[in-house]
Amino acid sequence: MRGEREFRKVRAHGAAVRDPLFTLRLTDYRPRYGERWHPRAIIGLVVSKKTLKHAVKRNRARRRVREALRTMPPELLPGGLPACRAILMLNPGVLTVPFPDLQAALARALQRGAGATKRGGAKGKGGKKGGGPAAGERAGNGSGNGRVSAEVTPLAASPAPPAEQS
């Protein structure tokens, strides 16, 4: 992934899958503006300095995970990597876990995350799956400053005219 905007979109709208080795945020694949439709997995790796203080360890963690994804056995992910945009935030355990265990954990997380995005598992602003405003919120543009772009009022169900009998 490139640019802060893509990372922000995945963080805001992605379904989170947590594992002791990493946290995965995943959204469905959508091409950039003007880009041809070519579904594939686009994964950004993030290792914070707070998590791993030394650059050598951060780079080793990135290389290990990148290689684990590249050489993923087909029996772990039968269809290959799912078409998605994802952020993988790594924890220090990535450096010490055996390589096959790392691959198995990545495969499990990708399957769970892909299933969550297909079901609509990413929670919206209201904190519930159904969408719409949560208790105490108003419908609108969601800017949070009280402005509403368009008031939406449900149409009252008007009774149907009585059918003529002949």
Side-chain angles (χ1 to χ4, degrees):
M1 289 195 326
R2 285 183 269 164
E4 165 130 11
R5 178 180 283 179
E6 289 184 35
F7 278 87
R8 243 187 290 135
K9 281 183 182 179
V10 173
R11 279 193 181 110
H13 303 293
V17 178
R18 287 178 178 77
D19 191 84
L21 302 175
F22 52 82
T23 300
L24 176 71
R25 283 240 176 228
L26 192 77
T27 60
D28 290 330
Y29 171 79
R30 289 197 181 118
R32 292 186 192 102
Y33 179 77
E35 186 179 60
R36 293 176 55 131
W37 180 261
H38 181 65
R40 61 194 185 276
I42 302 171
I43 300 174
L45 299 175
V46 177
V47 188
S48 70
K49 287 183 182 180
K50 186 176 181 181
T51 304
L52 289 169
K53 301 207 182 314
H54 300 284
V56 172
K57 290 182 180 180
R58 288 194 303 272
N59 292 334
R60 187 180 308 136
R62 279 191 211 103
R63 285 194 307 269
R64 256 189 124 205
V65 171
R66 200 175 296 129
E67 186 65 13
L69 289 168
R70 190 181 72 79
T71 62
M72 185 77 65
E75 57 270 6
L76 289 177
L77 280 174
L81 294 175
C84 64
R85 286 192 189 275
I87 298 174
L88 199 56
M89 294 169 269
L90 307 178
N91 293 336
V94 169
L95 294 172
T96 58
V97 71
F99 199 71
D101 294 345
L102 175 62
Q103 286 182 321
L106 285 167
R108 276 192 315 269
L110 285 167
Q111 286 174 340
R112 283 179 44 209
T117 58
K118 290 201 180 12
R119 289 189 313 265
K123 293 184 179 180
K125 182 180 175 184
K128 58 183 180 179
K129 288 185 182 179
E137 289 185 17
R138 291 180 5 190
N141 60 5
S143 63
N145 59 7
R147 290 183 295 146
V148 177
S149 59
E151 284 293 330
V152 179
T153 56
L155 295 174
S158 59
E164 285 187 34
Q165 295 188 8
S166 42

